[in-house]
Amino acid sequence: MKYSFLFLLLLAGLLTGAQSSSSMLSDDSTRSIELREIQVSTTARSDRQRMIQFYRGNQSAGIEDILARLPEITLIRRGTYGMEPAIRSLSGGQINVLLDGMRIHGACTDKMDPATIYIEPVNLDEVQLQTGTQGFLYGASIGGTVNLKTATVPCHNTRKINGSVSSGYQSAAKSFYESLQLRYSSGKFAIHSSVTWRNSEAYRSGGGQRIPFSQYQKVNYSTTASYQLNERTLLKADYIGDHGWNIGYPALPMDVGYAVARIGSLSLQQNKPGQRMYQWTTKIYANQVRHYMDDTHRPNVPMHMDMPGRSLTWGLYTEGLMKLTRQQQVRVIADFSSTRLKASMTMYENGQPPMYMLTWPDNRKDQGGIGMNWKWRADSNWTLQSVIRMDLISTALTSQEAKEHIRILGVNNAGRLELLKNISVTAVRKLYPWLQSSLSLAYAERMPTATELYGFYLFNAQDGYDYLGNPKLAPERSLQGEWSLQVQGKKIRIKTSLFYQHIRDFISGSIDPSFSTMTIGAHGVKKFSALPDAHLTGVEASLLFKPVAALDFISTLRYTRGEDHSGDPLPMIAPLKSTSTIRYQFSRFFLQAETEAATAQKKISNKYGEDKTPGYLLLHVRSGFSFQLAGKKTDLQYGIENLLDKNYHEHLDWGNVKRPGRNVYVLLRVKFG
Amino acid sequence: MKKTACILLSLSVLSVCFLLTACSKDNADNNPTTGMTRISEGYAAGAATKVEIYSKQSLVNTGYNKFYIALYDSVSGNRVEEAHIHLTPVMDMGMMQHNAPFENPVSETASGHLFPCSVTFVMPSGSGNWTLEIEVHNHVTGKEGTLVLPITVTDPVIPRQQSFTASHNGAKYFISLIEPSSPRVGINDLELAIYKKESMDNWPADSSLTITMIPEMPSMGHSSPNNVNPVHTGNGHYRGKVNFTMTGLWRLNLDFMSGTSVADTTQSFDVQF
Ligand SMILES: [Cu+2]
C-alpha cells in the first residue's frame, strides 16, 4: 500500500533523522500517551495513523470520510460536499481548522466551504486533532484545532520521475475519481505534484430515491517544491489550487456555480538550528477563496438570486520546539494573520433595478498571537503540561458602503479590539505500567466570527430565520475540564475521555421581533447575542485490539449532551454513536468489515428548527489486494458501503436529507517509476 | 537646436495646461452654480436686474423644486447680493387660474452668491401653462421690478408628489418628497413638505399632521429596521430617517394623523436606485 509505504518512509525519516522530530510529535495531540517517551509517542502517532489508514477504507472518498470516523469529530452536512467539521459539537468560530498551520477563511456565508475541502486525501499525511483543553496553541479557541498536514517530499535523489495513477468509481452517485501523482528529486531539489478530478452525479439514497442537487465536480491540484539549503535547513514552497463547479447543496436553497481556492506558502524548516532548539518552522502564506452561489437551477424560486463571496488571508508564523532540560521542553509559536471578507447578494425582478446588498459587509480581521506549550516530566510517574496563549485581535469594517449597512442596525462604530487569553494545565499520572490517567483544566476564549459580528440578513435554512450580526458581541469564554484513562497493553489499547465545558456568553441567535425578515418565507429575524451560559458534557472511548498479527479490531464510541442556560438542548449535538471495524490482512490481501451505529436523537433544539432523528445501523465491507500489472505495482480496492441499503440520515444533516444508499466502489491504483 | 525647441515647446504646453487647469479650478471655486442647471433667465424690468434661476435637477418636476436665484446688475454685470425677492407661481388653465405653494428666499442677503427658494408645482404643464412671477427689490440700487418667466413642469418617471383629501376635515393636502434625493443602502434623510390647499391662491405650509412611515420592498414584501418617522421641523417640512437594506425599488408607505383622527392612510412614494 502506497500510503503505508510513504508513511513508513516518513516515519523512518523522523526516527533516524532526528530524535527531536519525534519528540516534537509528542505534543501534536492532546492524547496523554504522547506525552511519554519518544518510542511510545511515535507508536501513538502510528496508532493514530493506523486509525486513519483504517478509516481511509474507501480511498476514493473525500477527507470528510476520514474525519467522520474520529470519535471527537462530528460533521454538519448541508450537501454531499463540504461538510463542516465540529470538534466535540463545537464548530465554526469555536474551533480552528488549519491546513499545514495556515488559516483559511471560507468565502461562503452559508458555510459551504470549510477549509477541509482543499486537501485531497491522497495528499494527506496526518490529521492533527487537539481537543478543547489543549486545542488553542495555534489560535484562540474554545473547542480545539484540526490541522491537516500534507505529505512532504522525501528526497530519494533518484533523478527519475515516479508516481501513481488512481481511478475509482462509486455506484451510489455514479461518481468518478481520477488522480495522478508525480514525484521527482534530484540532488537537493525535490518536487511533488498531484491532480485529482472528481465528478459526482446526484446520488441515490437508501431505497433508491435520487437526491436532487447533490451532484458536484471538482479539480484539485497541488505542487510542493523543496530545496535543501544545507544539512539542517529546508526551503519549501507549496501551492494548492481547488476548483469546484456545479456543486449542489440539497439542504440549502442555493447551489454553487463555481468556487475556487488558491493557497500558497513558503516555509523554512530548520532541524536542530541551535543547541536547545530542536525544530523550527517559519512560514509565510496567502490564500484566496472565491465562491459563487446561486439558485439558477432551482425550480419555483420566487426570485432569482446570486450570492458571491470572497476571502483573502495572508499570514505568517514561526514555531519551534526547545528542550530546556532533560525533563522539560517547550513549544513556542508566534503568528499573525489578516483576513478580508466580502459577500453580497443580488436579486433580480423583471422591470426593476437589481436588488443588491452586502451580506458580509467588507470587513477585516487582524490577529496576532503568541503561544506556548510547556511540558515537564517531573518524575517517572508524573508529567505536567501547560498551554498558554494570548491573542490580540482587531476587526473592522473596511468600506463606507459596509459601514452604512451596519449603521442601519444602530451601530456607528463596529470596530473591535480584543485581547484573548487561553490557558490550560494538564497532569498525567502513570498509575501502573499499563495504566495512566490524565486530568486537564482550561480557561479559553474565542473571538466572535465575521458572521456573528457583521452578518447582514443571512438566511439559515435549518431554522428558517434571517440572521443579523451584532458588532458588540463579547468573546465566548469557556471553563473546561477533561479526564482520561488509558490502558496500554501488548495487544490492546483502550482510551476513555470524559469532558465538561461551561461556556459563558454563549453566542447564539435570539429572535428579535423589532426586525422584519428579508428572505421571502423566513420565519423571522434572529440577532446573534450572548446567552448567559451553556454546557457540554461528553464521553469518548476507543479500543484497539490486535489478538494476532493478521487481525485488527478498532472500535470507537462517543456521546455528548449540551444544554443552554434554560436547560434546553443545544442544537447540532450528535447522539450516541459507535463504529467498529475488523480487518484481516493476509499477505497482499485484506478484508474489512465495519459497523456504524447511532441511537435516536431525541434531545433536540426546537428553537433551531430541529426534529428528532431515528437511530440506524450500517454495515460496510471492504477488501483489496496488491499485484503486479505489466510490471507495475498495482492496488485494487473494492467494497460495498451501506450494504443493507438503509435509508437514513444523521442528526447533523440539515433538512433531513437522506444519505447515500448501497454504494459499490472500486479503486485501481498503479504505481510507476 | 532641435532639442531646445522641443524642450521649449513642451514647457510651454505644460505651462498652458497648468494655467488652464488653474483657471478652471478658480472658476469652479468661484462659481456657485457649478453642477446646476439654469432653468430660466430674464430681466426684471424696472429693477435693472438680470435674474437667473438654477436647480440641481435638470428638469422642473411636479412637486417640490428647490431653486437658486442669481441676480446681476444689468448694467455692470456684477452680482447683486442684497435683494428682496418675492415669488408667485401661477397656473393658467384658460377657464381658471391657481397658484401653488412656494418658499421665498428666507434672507435678503445671498447665501453663497445665491438666493435659495422653492416652488411646489402641484401639477405638470400640459392642461395649462405655469409661469413664475418674480418681484425683485434690488437693495444695491434701491430699484424694484417684476419678471414673469414661463416654466415647463413635467411629471417625473417616479412621482415625487401626492395629494389626498383628508378624511378628518375634507381639506386637500399636497405632499412632496424632498429627501432622499440620492438614495443609497444605509441610513437616508427623509424629508417631506406638506401644503394645504385653502383656496386657489392660498397654499399654506402645514404643521398639524403626524406621520408614520414604513418602507417596504414591494417585490419581496420586507421592510427595514430602525426608521425614524418624519416630524414637523418648520414651514411644512417634516424630517425623519429611512433605511434601505439593499438597492432596488422601495415603497415608503405613509399614514397621516391629525391628533387622534386619521387624515389619510393611502399614500406612498416609490424610491428606486
Ligand atoms: Cu455558498
Side-chain angles (χ1 to χ4, degrees):
Chain A
M1 306 241 322
K2 201 203 84 232
Y3 288 118
S4 342
F5 167 72
L6 253 180
F7 186 62
L8 276 175
L9 234 156
L10 204 85
L11 211 68
L14 288 167
L15 280 171
T16 54
Q19 190 189 32
S20 58
S21 311
S22 29
S23 56
M24 178 205 95
L25 298 166
S26 58
D27 61 12
D28 274 345
S29 154
T30 61
R31 309 217 155 233
S32 49
I33 182 133
E34 281 139 333
L35 305 176
R36 287 165 42 177
E37 301 286 289
I38 292 149
Q39 289 83 356
V40 180
S41 67
T42 42
T43 318
R45 176 182 155 83
S46 69
D47 269 346
R48 173 160 289 264
Q49 281 302 330
R50 245 167 58 201
M51 296 232 337
I52 290 171
Q53 283 297 97
F54 244 153
Y55 286 139
R56 209 179 239 168
N58 177 349
Q59 296 213 359
S60 57
I63 218 146
E64 290 125 347
D65 218 52
I66 297 167
L67 294 177
R69 290 151 192 260
L70 297 174
E72 297 89 346
I73 291 186
T74 51
L75 291 165
I76 300 165
R77 187 180 192 264
R78 302 177 179 91
T80 334
Y81 181 72
M83 289 184 240
E84 187 194 0
I87 305 174
R88 288 179 177 167
S89 303
L90 299 176
S91 65
Q94 295 167 320
I95 62 171
N96 299 311
V97 178
L98 308 176
L99 299 191
D100 282 323
M102 297 183 283
R103 281 172 217 282
I104 295 177
H105 201 293
C108 177
T109 48
D110 287 353
K111 299 181 180 174
M112 288 173 172
D113 57 350
T116 42
I117 61 177
Y118 303 125
I119 299 284
E120 278 293 336
V122 73
N123 294 324
L124 182 71
D125 176 43
E126 188 185 2
V127 177
Q128 287 184 347
L129 173 67
Q130 295 155 322
T131 48
T133 49
Q134 295 180 354
F136 45 73
L137 180 63
Y138 296 105
S141 93
I142 64 168
T145 299
V146 190
N147 187 11
L148 301 177
K149 300 211 84 173
T150 54
T152 45
V153 212
C155 272
H156 301 294
N157 200 10
T158 52
R159 289 178 179 271
K160 250 172 68 185
I161 292 177
N162 62 45
S164 65
V165 193
S166 316
S167 182
Y169 178 77
Q170 302 196 56
S171 68
K174 296 184 182 148
S175 69
F176 288 94
Y177 162 85
E178 313 296 338
S179 179
L180 172 71
Q181 281 194 293
L182 293 172
R183 280 181 296 274
Y184 175 79
S185 68
S186 157
K188 296 175 171 175
F189 179 75
I191 188 160
H192 173 198
S193 287
S194 78
V195 188
T196 300
W197 174 76
R198 291 172 182 275
N199 185 352
S200 189
E201 289 180 24
Y203 65 83
R204 59 172 276 292
S205 63
Q209 206 183 340
R210 288 248 160 248
I211 302 294
F213 310 109
S214 64
Q215 78 292 341
Y216 71 92
Q217 275 131 57
K218 78 174 282 190
V219 168
N220 179 288
Y221 51 91
S222 71
T223 294
T224 298
S226 56
Y227 184 79
Q228 199 79 39
L229 288 174
N230 59 46
E231 220 171 80
R232 289 179 172 163
T233 316
L234 186 74
L235 183 67
K236 193 162 158 277
D238 290 272
Y239 182 81
I240 299 174
D242 190 280
H243 299 250
W245 62 94
N246 186 21
I247 307 170
Y249 287 83
L252 299 179
M254 304 188 85
D255 304 309
V256 171
Y258 180 55
V260 56
R262 298 183 171 90
I263 301 158
S265 68
L266 197 64
S267 50
L268 198 67
Q269 295 176 353
Q270 286 168 286
N271 227 335
K272 224 166 181 231
Q275 181 86 68
R276 291 180 186 283
M277 282 146 68
Y278 273 73
Q279 203 184 42
W280 211 273
T281 303
T282 304
K283 180 177 268 192
I284 179 157
Y285 63 90
N287 54 69
Q288 185 201 48
V289 184
R290 285 180 178 275
H291 183 86
Y292 300 91
M293 181 160 58
D294 64 66
D295 57 7
T296 327
H297 300 289
R298 297 299 177 107
N300 313 320
V301 287
M303 192 177 283
H304 170 55
M305 195 188 292
D306 284 335
M307 291 184 76
R310 61 150 181 76
S311 90
L312 188 67
T313 303
W314 74 271
L316 48 92
Y317 67 81
T318 182
E319 174 195 12
L321 183 73
M322 283 186 291
K323 204 127 195 166
L324 303 175
T325 65
R326 274 185 72 85
Q327 285 79 31
Q328 285 185 68
Q329 69 173 43
V330 62
R331 170 173 291 274
V332 290
I333 178 164
D335 63 275
F336 172 84
S337 72
S338 177
T339 299
R340 282 163 182 272
L341 295 177
K342 178 185 188 147
S344 63
M345 178 176 79
T346 308
M347 286 164 294
Y348 303 92
E349 175 86 352
N350 275 339
Q352 285 183 20
M355 289 166 256
Y356 170 85
M357 73 173 200
L358 298 175
T359 46
W360 268 342
D362 313 54
N363 64 86
R364 190 206 67 217
K365 176 185 175 187
D366 291 336
Q367 161 278 333
I370 46 170
M372 180 195 88
N373 182 349
W374 168 82
K375 199 184 298 176
W376 177 40
R377 193 148 51 86
D379 61 38
S380 55
N381 287 331
W382 281 97
T383 303
L384 291 174
Q385 188 177 357
S386 177
V387 183
I388 299 174
R389 183 171 167 106
M390 299 271 266
D391 278 277
L392 195 61
I393 299 177
S394 125
T395 69
L397 295 170
T398 53
S399 74
Q400 192 54 37
E401 195 187 16
K403 288 174 189 163
E404 301 277 358
H405 274 70
I406 296 302
R407 255 181 220 139
I408 294 178
L409 308 179
V411 178
N412 282 320
N413 186 3
R416 293 290 295 273
L417 182 68
E418 294 287 338
L419 180 71
L420 298 187
K421 304 157 288 286
N422 289 260
I423 182 163
S424 76
V425 286
T426 303
V428 185
R429 166 100 166 113
K430 196 190 278 184
L431 301 168
Y432 300 99
W434 52 272
L435 182 69
Q436 77 173 18
S437 165
S438 90
L439 185 70
S440 291
L441 295 170
Y443 171 79
E445 298 180 331
R446 69 107 175 169
M447 189 69 189
T449 62
T451 293
E452 289 158 350
L453 292 172
Y454 306 127
F456 199 69
Y457 290 98
L458 292 172
F459 180 66
N460 180 318
Q462 175 75 352
D463 62 3
Y465 279 80
D466 279 335
Y467 275 69
L468 280 174
N470 178 357
K472 300 292 173 202
L473 272 183
E476 248 177 24
R477 294 170 292 151
S478 152
L479 263 176
Q480 45 186 290
E482 179 174 350
W483 175 65
S484 65
L485 257 183
Q486 194 157 318
V487 176
Q488 176 88 40
K490 250 198 150 89
K491 293 179 173 174
I492 198 164
R493 187 179 154 212
I494 303 168
K495 187 180 173 184
T496 55
S497 301
L498 246 153
F499 64 89
Y500 175 78
Q501 278 231 22
H502 180 96
I503 303 169
R504 301 282 299 273
D505 295 326
F506 184 72
I507 298 173
S508 165
S510 317
I511 296 172
D512 190 332
S514 68
F515 290 97
S516 73
T517 61
M518 188 281 298
T519 306
I520 296 171
H523 305 320
V525 174
K526 285 186 179 177
K527 197 170 180 176
F528 283 107
S529 56
L531 297 185
D533 57 9
H535 37 91
L536 280 163
T537 324
V539 60
E540 286 146 10
S542 60
L543 163 77
L544 273 77
F545 180 49
K546 197 176 180 68
V548 291
L551 214 59
D552 280 288
F553 179 76
I554 295 183
S555 189
T556 65
L557 181 130
R558 65 147 182 262
Y559 178 71
T560 309
R561 276 186 75 159
E563 281 172 357
D564 67 12
H565 63 295
S566 55
D568 291 338
L570 292 177
M572 293 285 118
I573 305 282
L576 178 75
K577 183 173 179 180
S578 171
T579 62
S580 295
T581 304
I582 184 155
R583 180 179 171 112
Y584 172 73
Q585 177 107 36
F586 181 75
S587 183
R588 290 171 177 174
F589 173 83
F590 80 88
L591 188 65
Q592 184 170 327
E594 295 168 11
T595 61
E596 199 179 322
T599 60
Q601 181 57 292
K602 291 177 183 142
K603 294 186 182 64
I604 54 165
S605 171
N606 295 314
K607 283 184 259 183
Y608 291 89
E610 286 194 333
D611 56 3
K612 290 178 186 171
T613 304
Y616 58 85
L617 170 71
L618 306 178
L619 232 61
H620 315 302
V621 289
R622 310 180 192 285
S623 176
F625 59 95
S626 305
F627 58 98
Q628 296 285 323
L629 186 76
K632 310 267 185 250
K633 192 167 180 288
T634 305
D635 288 329
L636 181 67
Q637 295 193 14
Y638 44 89
I640 306 172
E641 289 171 330
N642 194 358
L643 188 67
L644 306 174
D645 203 29
K646 178 92 183 162
N647 192 24
Y648 77 108
H649 69 272
E650 295 197 20
H651 185 62
L652 271 56
D653 296 355
W654 279 31
N656 295 347
V657 175
K658 298 297 176 201
R659 295 253 180 167
R662 187 180 301 123
N663 179 34
V664 180
Y665 71 89
V666 58
L667 177 85
L668 189 75
R669 174 162 298 152
V670 182
K671 286 164 198 158
F672 55 85
Chain B
M1 186 61 196
K2 208 178 165 189
K3 211 173 182 180
T4 332
C6 252
I7 292 171
L8 274 175
L9 189 73
S10 45
L11 268 179
S12 55
V13 167
L14 267 176
S15 53
V16 166
C17 283
F18 180 74
L19 279 173
L20 277 174
T21 52
C23 281
S24 59
K25 204 177 173 201
D26 267 307
N27 277 344
D29 284 347
N30 290 338
N31 189 352
T33 54
T34 304
M36 294 189 194
T37 304
R38 186 161 55 212
I39 297 299
S40 190
E41 60 180 341
Y43 288 89
T49 307
K50 189 188 179 199
V51 179
E52 293 179 353
I53 307 178
Y54 288 88
S55 167
K56 286 178 182 168
Q57 316 295 320
S58 53
L59 291 170
V60 179
N61 288 325
T62 316
Y64 185 93
N65 287 268
K66 183 112 189 164
F67 289 145
Y68 299 87
I69 294 179
L71 299 180
Y72 299 93
D73 187 301
S74 58
V75 180
S76 67
N78 290 336
R79 281 189 188 275
V80 176
E81 310 228 358
E82 295 289 332
H84 185 175
I85 297 174
H86 185 84
L87 307 175
T88 312
V90 178
M91 175 36 129
D92 185 349
M93 300 174 80
M95 303 286 287
M96 57 175 243
Q97 277 193 349
H98 63 79
N99 296 108
F102 59 88
E103 293 170 311
N104 287 323
V106 184
S107 166
E108 289 165 19
T109 303
S111 111
H113 308 299
L114 300 173
F115 294 90
C117 54
S118 85
V119 180
T120 300
F121 295 101
V122 293
M123 62 187 281
S125 305
S127 44
N129 297 311
W130 281 105
T131 52
L132 181 59
E133 182 186 299
I134 305 166
E135 291 170 58
V136 179
H137 182 189
N138 184 330
H139 288 189
V140 180
T141 58
K143 293 179 185 165
E144 270 183 83
T146 302
L147 157 77
V148 177
L149 291 170
I151 305 276
T152 305
V153 178
T154 50
D155 269 338
V157 180
I158 299 174
R160 302 282 284 184
Q161 181 195 255
Q162 306 287 354
S163 64
F164 61 83
T165 305
S167 48
H168 69 292
N169 61 0
K172 192 153 193 194
Y173 290 86
F174 285 81
I175 320 290
S176 280
L177 181 69
I178 304 174
E179 295 290 348
S181 53
S182 45
R184 56 187 159 66
V185 177
I187 301 175
N188 291 263
D189 288 330
L190 175 66
E191 186 177 354
L192 298 168
I194 302 182
Y195 299 99
K196 184 180 175 189
K197 184 185 177 187
E198 293 273 3
S199 65
M200 287 302 222
D201 54 6
N202 188 17
W203 303 72
D206 172 87
S207 63
S208 67
L209 300 175
T210 37
I211 307 174
T212 308
M213 188 278 305
I214 298 173
E216 180 204 357
M217 235 178 174
S219 56
M220 298 185 72
H222 66 72
S223 183
S224 71
N226 298 327
N227 298 285
V228 179
N229 285 324
V231 292
H232 187 250
T233 56
N235 303 315
H237 288 249
Y238 291 71
R239 288 187 174 84
K241 298 281 181 196
V242 58
N243 299 334
F244 299 129
T245 52
M246 61 180 77
T247 67
L249 172 69
W250 286 85
R251 184 158 296 155
L252 314 185
N253 293 303
L254 298 166
D255 287 355
F256 298 91
M257 299 284 287
S258 176
T260 54
S261 39
V262 174
D264 186 90
T265 57
T266 62
Q267 300 306 310
S268 67
F269 283 109
D270 283 357
V271 175
Q272 183 172 296
F273 60 107

